[in-house]
Amino acid sequence: MTLTGRVPLLLLVGLVPVVLRPSMGTVWTWVLLVGLVTALDWLLAPRPSALEVVRRPPGTVRTGTPATSRLTVTSTVRRTVRAVVRDAWQPTAGATGNRHRVVLRPGARTVLTTPLLPRRRGDLLALGVTVRLPGPLGLACRQATLDVPGTVRSLPAFESRKHLPSRLARLRDLDGRAAVRIRGQGTEFDSLREYVRGDDVRSIDWRASARSRSVVVRTWQPERDRRVVLVLDTSRVAAGRVGDVPRLDSAMDAALLLAALAARAGDRVDFLAGDRTVRSRLRAAGARDVAARLQEAMADLEPVIAEADWSGLAGEITRLGRQRALVVLLTPLEPAAVREGLLPVLPTLVRHHRVVVASVKDPALGALVDARGSLAETYAAAAAAEVVHERERAARVLRTLGVDVLDTDAERLPPALADHYLDLKARGLL
Amino acid sequence: MRGWWERHRTMTLIGGGTVAALLVAVLLGTGARTSAAHDPDNPDGTGARAVARVLADQGVDVEVVRSAAELEDTEVGADTTVLVTSPDDLGRSTARRLLAHADAATVVVADPGPGAVAALGVEAEGIGSVPDAPRGAACTDGGLDALRGLAVDVDRATAWPTTAGCFGGPDGWWLASADEGLLLLGAAGILENDQVLRADNATAALRLLGQDRRLVWYVPDLADLGADDGVSLRSLLPPWLLPAVWLGGIVMVAVAWWRGRRLGPLAVEPLPVTVRALETTHARGRLYRDAADRAHAVRALRRHTRVTAAAHLRLPEQDTDALLRDVARAVGRPADEVAALLADSAPPPRTDDELIHLARSLAELDREVRAT
């Protein structure tokens, strides 16, 4: 039972009889009267079952872009129903203006829309629909919270997509390049075309020129149909926050940019996320919307407080295909984790694939090394220097194994990884 | 001792001053002294000590009583005048006790408020005024002939329109005879120390109070009031107020119920675990500090500076001697100095201050190398 503001107002009106006939008896009589009227009003209020609430799934949006939650409310009783309906979502779903006043004639229905603005990645839950139905006098209300499940799937924000146009332009530059200067075993013969000024003379195909009336050059296109395997580490090391963003989210950003780029370049992208077990897996063979599908696969990934089982993950990578691939391991360069988990499985991987380790570096670590103000800061600087040293040593060990190591800030990692990929592609090293 | 004095001088002076001030206050404050108006022990302007002393000097037996029980212990006969000051402290019960005990005597009540007048059972409404001229006696009461021909001059007076009295005017009597042997003194200023010398005030006061051999000066005490005393706040308030306050309380409960009921449960967020990536590094720093491992800390810092310098100058870092030489040449410092800073063989700092100093020197060297 819920009261409205009219009950205290009605009680206050009791001042008139109290002044006219001042005694405590008057007070109690009035309170009893108001109580009886309120109870009667509550009894006459429609039951919450008078409303049928159905949710239309709000679907999937990128984090930080608006979505809409829609509720269809139908009246099931033969009288006009007034109600207040609250569509509650978890706070990071960003539901604003989620209280709706409804007046429904018998059998009528209405659609209530609540704007959402997800601020967090993952599946954001609706917490139930609360309906409050006042009685005919508007003194008391029946109130109930109906369980109307719903989720809005909030995809990774893909902030780094702003880097995509420039990288695609670089990719086009690689395409149809006439020069042979950087021709490697991976570049593929594309076509013959007439020589134009500016082409490298070394790319002239003399044999073809002899058969035609003009000078003909060979053009090359970058290799296509290679495999890119993105491996996202969701273990404890990915839970650490750099600034306010978990490393996992920064790694996702980098993976999305690389996947979008590789898909445009005609490569096949496979995705794997896991720690002790595989959490998510996606085989997107040459699909155009690979970034969207990847976002979907990443949406509900959360770091777990467990060590990654790299031998298991390596087995999964092998199971994805035996063809040589670019394997991108998105894992922080955490010395202990690398030494004990990753290092033992790398030699086998490197033998079959080209392996890149992309790690999110914490810029605060550099600041910590340079801070020498107090005694505490000096010791912290010493510890940070130690950590920096260990990271460098781990990176060096990986490089000696033939692994490419990218260790940069969260914002610079996606473009750096994309550039590295383009570099490998241009050199035909995929 | 001298050092202690230097350190605690201010506090000692303040403390000593406070104690001295308290002592003076206590010593000067001893003796019967009050600040109540018309009190026989009050020497201030509004007190009545002068009148009390003069009456005593004139041979009147002045007895001061300060509670109802004390009053009842005092013999009050026909040859006694009872003066009641601070009568607003009279309740219905104390007034009843006073009138019953002083049945035979003349009771003079100085400057009673409406509550005291009602408590004494007198049905008259006092009219307050600020007179600008003295008022003549003009008595109609037979018992007050002694006051004839006198004029009193007070700052503030209350007049009661009773049937008889003295110092009458259009608004009533300043000394009103309310009942047999009960006088209300509206011009109580005649008792006050600073007004007693005006006009015939002193004479009027002495004649009024000195008619009889004895004067019982009754100062009522609030502590004597019984629970059934009608002169409470309640009797002065409108009768509907208390029920209205109750109703107001019930309204507040209703408001709390109205506002306190939420529209559905709180929206809760499943919160993620927040792990700062640098947490282990900070913890390691604290560990070094707790262990006071200066040698280890300085080794890590030196190695860091060497590695960055080697990377910047594009030199192999394994060959420490050559690196130190090149760094010294690059920054233009003596080789010994650079070696003392950078070489692992240099002695570790002995104190925390030395450690901080060395760490700062290393950072400085780092900056110099980067500047080349």
Side-chain angles (χ1 to χ4, degrees):
Chain A
M1 179 168 171
T2 309
L3 302 185
T4 66
R6 292 183 191 186
V7 174
L9 273 181
L10 196 60
L11 283 171
L12 213 56
V13 169
L15 277 178
V16 175
V18 164
V19 168
L20 291 180
R21 193 174 159 276
S23 83
M24 285 308 289
T26 319
V27 173
W28 296 123
T29 314
W30 184 259
V31 170
L32 194 70
L33 208 67
V34 173
L36 281 176
V37 172
T38 310
L40 189 72
D41 195 42
W42 180 73
L43 278 176
L44 291 177
R47 290 172 191 285
S49 58
L51 295 182
E52 194 183 69
V53 184
V54 179
R55 187 188 294 285
R56 286 193 213 160
T60 306
V61 289
R62 257 204 319 263
T63 307
T65 51
T68 315
S69 156
R70 285 198 181 79
L71 291 176
T72 310
V73 183
T74 315
S75 166
T76 58
V77 287
R78 279 177 299 172
R79 64 192 240 203
T80 303
V81 176
R82 289 164 198 283
V84 177
V85 180
R86 169 189 180 228
D87 184 12
W89 287 80
Q90 73 180 64
T92 45
T96 46
N98 61 348
R99 292 169 182 223
H100 308 278
R101 287 187 180 282
V102 181
V103 180
L104 284 177
R105 301 197 172 286
R109 78 172 46 188
T110 181
V111 177
L112 307 176
T113 57
T114 303
L116 301 176
L117 189 67
R119 290 199 302 275
R120 190 173 151 194
R121 185 176 50 76
D123 286 339
L124 307 177
L125 295 176
L127 299 175
V129 175
T130 306
V131 291
R132 183 179 275 190
L133 300 142
L137 297 176
L139 290 173
C141 309
R142 286 180 194 268
Q143 177 175 321
T145 300
L146 314 173
D147 188 24
V148 187
T151 52
V152 60
R153 171 156 279 209
S154 174
L155 300 177
F158 196 6
E159 293 288 340
S160 61
R161 67 182 182 281
K162 59 182 180 236
H163 298 295
L164 192 56
S166 60
R167 266 61 193 184
L168 285 176
R170 274 191 59 192
L171 186 68
R172 276 193 296 277
D173 283 353
L174 294 180
D175 220 344
R177 192 183 272 200
V180 290
R181 207 177 301 140
I182 53 162
R183 183 173 53 179
Q185 62 182 117
T187 47
E188 289 168 359
F189 173 70
D190 182 21
S191 61
L192 294 169
R193 63 166 168 79
E194 217 168 279
Y195 175 84
V196 291
R197 286 182 71 179
D199 281 343
D200 195 318
V201 287
R202 285 175 296 176
S203 63
I204 294 172
D205 187 332
W206 294 110
R207 199 179 296 213
S209 301
R211 282 201 292 272
S212 85
R213 279 189 289 166
S214 55
V215 184
V216 170
V217 293
R218 284 166 179 248
T219 64
W220 305 85
Q221 70 168 34
E223 52 195 350
R224 295 177 69 87
D225 290 320
R226 304 286 145 168
R227 283 178 62 225
V228 177
V229 181
L230 300 166
V231 183
L232 192 60
D233 178 8
T234 60
S235 71
R236 65 170 181 89
V237 285
R241 280 174 187 245
V242 175
D244 197 31
V245 184
R247 279 178 164 152
L248 182 65
D249 288 34
S250 309
M252 281 180 183
D253 218 21
L256 283 169
L257 182 65
L258 181 56
L261 187 62
R264 295 290 184 88
D267 291 336
R268 283 175 294 147
V269 179
D270 292 332
F271 169 72
L272 200 63
D275 37 85
R276 297 203 65 75
T277 58
V278 176
R279 303 274 165 199
S280 174
R281 192 196 323 249
L282 180 74
R283 308 209 59 171
R288 288 297 281 180
D289 59 343
V290 62
R293 290 179 59 191
L294 205 53
Q295 277 179 319
E296 188 78 33
M298 286 173 176
D300 56 349
L301 287 179
E302 289 295 339
V304 293
I305 306 299
E307 206 66 54
D309 172 19
W310 279 108
S311 60
L313 289 176
E316 288 294 328
I317 295 167
T318 320
R319 208 163 304 146
L320 283 171
R322 302 203 60 81
Q323 189 196 343
R324 187 174 168 80
L326 172 69
V327 175
V328 181
L329 305 178
L330 294 145
T331 176
L333 210 53
E334 205 69 41
V338 166
R339 199 165 47 240
E340 274 145 37
L342 187 55
L343 220 47
V345 304
L346 272 180
T348 334
L349 268 185
V350 169
R351 208 172 308 135
H352 293 110
H353 306 288
R354 175 121 209 143
V355 180
V356 176
V357 170
S359 150
V360 179
K361 192 155 86 175
D362 193 346
L365 191 63
L368 200 60
V369 175
D370 290 336
R372 309 273 165 97
S374 62
L375 185 65
E377 277 180 0
T378 306
Y379 276 115
E386 194 93 324
V387 170
V388 168
H389 179 70
E390 281 172 14
R391 281 177 81 101
E392 275 166 7
R393 200 164 57 189
R396 204 158 50 229
V397 169
L398 292 182
R399 285 197 184 101
T400 31
L401 280 174
V403 175
D404 300 332
V405 179
L406 297 174
D407 187 19
T408 55
D409 301 348
E411 303 89 69
R412 258 176 277 160
L413 184 64
L417 186 58
D419 287 343
H420 187 72
Y421 165 79
L422 289 174
D423 200 29
L424 289 177
K425 201 159 190 63
R427 281 155 55 199
L429 291 177
L430 286 180
Chain B
M1 187 60 200
R2 192 184 166 76
W4 183 89
W5 172 246
E6 291 289 327
R7 254 177 291 135
H8 299 281
R9 186 168 49 190
T10 320
M11 289 315 289
T12 314
L13 283 179
I14 290 174
T18 312
V19 169
L22 280 176
L23 272 179
V24 168
V26 167
L27 287 179
L28 290 187
T30 46
R33 215 191 122 111
T34 113
S35 60
H38 315 134
D39 194 283
D41 288 326
N42 185 354
D44 294 339
T46 58
R49 193 155 82 171
V51 172
R53 292 262 170 101
V54 171
L55 279 169
D57 288 349
Q58 295 294 324
V60 178
D61 181 8
V62 178
E63 193 170 344
V64 178
V65 294
R66 291 185 179 276
S67 74
E70 222 177 308
L71 176 70
E72 282 169 352
D73 290 345
T74 313
E75 191 197 333
V76 178
D79 61 343
T80 312
T81 302
V82 179
L83 171 64
V84 185
T85 55
S86 307
D88 290 338
D89 291 348
L90 276 179
R92 277 190 202 281
S93 64
T94 38
R96 212 162 36 238
R97 283 163 78 180
L98 164 70
L99 293 178
H101 187 65
D103 198 20
T106 309
V107 178
V108 179
V109 185
D111 202 14
V117 172
L120 289 164
V122 178
E123 287 192 2
E125 211 158 307
I127 299 163
S129 61
V130 182
D132 44 10
R135 188 179 270 197
C139 285
T140 60
D141 193 346
L144 294 170
D145 288 344
L147 298 177
R148 265 182 213 293
L150 300 179
V152 294
D153 178 17
V154 289
D155 289 343
R156 202 167 47 78
T158 311
W160 284 273
T162 53
T163 50
C166 265
F167 308 110
D171 49 354
W173 312 101
W174 281 2
L175 177 61
S177 174
D179 202 352
E180 183 63 36
L182 176 61
L183 294 167
L184 304 179
L185 176 59
I190 61 170
L191 304 177
E192 291 182 13
N193 293 336
D194 61 351
Q195 294 181 38
V196 75
L197 294 178
R198 291 190 210 158
D200 298 326
N201 286 3
T203 323
L206 295 181
R207 287 190 187 167
L208 177 65
L209 302 177
Q211 318 174 43
D212 295 311
R213 198 176 50 79
R214 288 187 68 219
L215 172 66
V216 174
W217 197 309
Y218 174 40
V219 184
D221 189 0
L222 276 180
D224 290 334
L225 292 183
D228 59 335
D229 274 310
V231 190
S232 67
L233 200 59
R234 217 164 135 174
S235 66
L236 300 175
L237 296 176
W240 51 264
L241 194 72
L242 194 72
V245 167
W246 272 93
L247 190 65
I250 294 164
V251 168
M252 287 322 289
V253 170
V255 167
W257 191 350
W258 163 42
R259 300 307 309 173
R261 187 84 154 90
R262 270 195 308 269
L263 187 58
L266 280 181
V268 290
E269 179 78 29
L271 284 176
V273 187
T274 309
V275 188
R276 286 191 42 228
L278 272 184
E279 212 148 79
T280 48
T281 311
H282 279 293
R284 199 191 274 202
R286 282 194 294 275
L287 199 65
Y288 291 169
R289 189 183 174 184
D290 290 347
D293 198 346
R294 287 184 284 273
H296 185 82
V298 105
R299 212 178 306 132
L301 290 172
R302 276 175 175 153
R303 187 176 53 210
H304 178 76
T305 311
R306 279 205 307 273
V307 170
T308 28
H312 188 82
L313 300 173
R314 294 168 199 281
L315 296 167
E317 60 178 284
Q318 283 79 15
D319 188 355
T320 310
D321 293 336
L323 177 68
L324 293 187
R325 214 171 43 238
D326 289 339
V327 168
R329 200 179 302 138
V331 300
R333 285 206 206 179
D336 295 349
E337 193 186 316
V338 171
L341 277 178
L342 276 186
D344 274 335
S345 52
R350 282 184 302 273
T351 63
D352 288 342
D353 282 341
E354 276 184 38
L355 173 67
I356 297 175
H357 185 72
L358 183 59
R360 286 189 187 156
S361 311
L362 283 171
E364 178 65 27
L365 183 66
D366 212 16
R367 271 194 294 280
E368 282 177 32
V369 170
R370 279 185 223 178
T372 55

